Amino acid sequence: MNFSDMRSTALTVFVILVSILTSSCSVCDTDKLRDIPIPAAGSSPDRVVRAYLDALSARDIDTMRAISSANFFERQAGGPDAAICNLISLEKISIGTPHSDVYGPGGYRQVRTVLVSFVMEQHEEVSMENGWNAWGYILGRNSVHEPWLIIDAGVG
C-alpha cells in the first residue's frame, strides 16, 4: 500500500467515525428551551434542587453545571441514562424539606439531603420508569460562605 492509498483509507475511516459520532449525538437533543437563573448566594438546598430540576426540564446545561459538583455533572451528562439526553418532561414536582446527612462524596463538611417526587417521561426507560418516581438529591458545601452544590442523587 502506497502513501496515497494509506491517506485515502485514513480519510475514509475518519469520515465514518465522524458520521457515527454525529448520528449518535443527534439522538441527544440538548437545545436549551429557556434560561433558568442560578440560585442566589445563600439559597437553601431545596431552592437549589428546584433550580436544578427546572434547568433539567429546560435543558439549561449551564445552570445545571453551575449548581452541581463537577463529578456529579459529568455522571449526569454521560452514559445511556444521561438525564440531560433522556428526559422528555418532569411534571407534578414535589420537593421536601432538607435534612442533615452525614454521607457525601467529596468530603464536604456540610451535607443535606432533599427528597423529591415527580412524574417523568423519558425517551428510554433505563434506571427509572416513566411515571411517578421518588428520588433524592444530596448537596454539600464546606462552609456557610459557599453555595450548596448537588453532589449525588439516588433513591431517597
Side-chain angles (χ1 to χ4, degrees):
M1 185 180 275
N2 64 31
F3 179 74
S4 178
D5 290 340
M6 288 174 38
R7 200 168 87 187
S8 176
T9 301
L11 181 60
T12 301
V13 169
F14 175 76
V15 168
I16 290 171
L17 284 174
V18 168
S19 296
I20 290 170
L21 291 173
T22 304
S23 66
S24 66
C25 290
S26 66
V27 173
C28 181
D29 181 9
T30 57
D31 291 339
K32 185 188 297 186
L33 300 175
R34 66 186 182 283
D35 289 318
I36 302 300
I38 295 170
S43 290
S44 64
D46 51 320
R47 175 64 193 108
V48 174
V49 169
R50 167 56 75 181
Y52 181 83
L53 294 173
D54 289 347
L56 178 59
S57 294
R59 297 189 194 121
D60 187 344
I61 294 171
D62 295 330
T63 294
M64 291 173 65
R65 183 181 290 119
I67 59 179
S68 301
S69 69
N71 191 354
F72 178 77
F73 181 79
E74 288 173 20
R75 289 193 320 266
Q76 298 308 297
D81 197 22
I84 293 169
C85 294
N86 198 28
L87 182 70
I88 295 172
S89 68
L90 281 180
E91 297 176 352
K92 300 180 182 173
I93 298 169
S94 175
I95 298 177
T97 302
H99 62 274
S100 294
D101 204 331
V102 293
Y103 166 76
Y108 291 93
R109 292 186 180 130
Q110 298 177 6
V111 179
R112 301 289 183 272
T113 295
V114 178
L115 301 178
V116 301
S117 64
F118 44 75
V119 175
M120 143 188 278
E121 183 181 359
Q122 307 165 94
H123 293 286
E124 182 179 350
E125 293 181 359
V126 180
S127 64
M128 297 175 82
E129 295 180 359
N130 286 331
W132 184 87
N133 284 276
W135 199 243
Y137 288 93
I138 300 174
L139 296 89
R141 67 181 183 184
N142 287 315
S143 79
V144 296
H145 304 292
E146 293 181 5
W148 289 102
L149 295 176
I150 297 177
I151 58 175
D152 207 355
V155 178

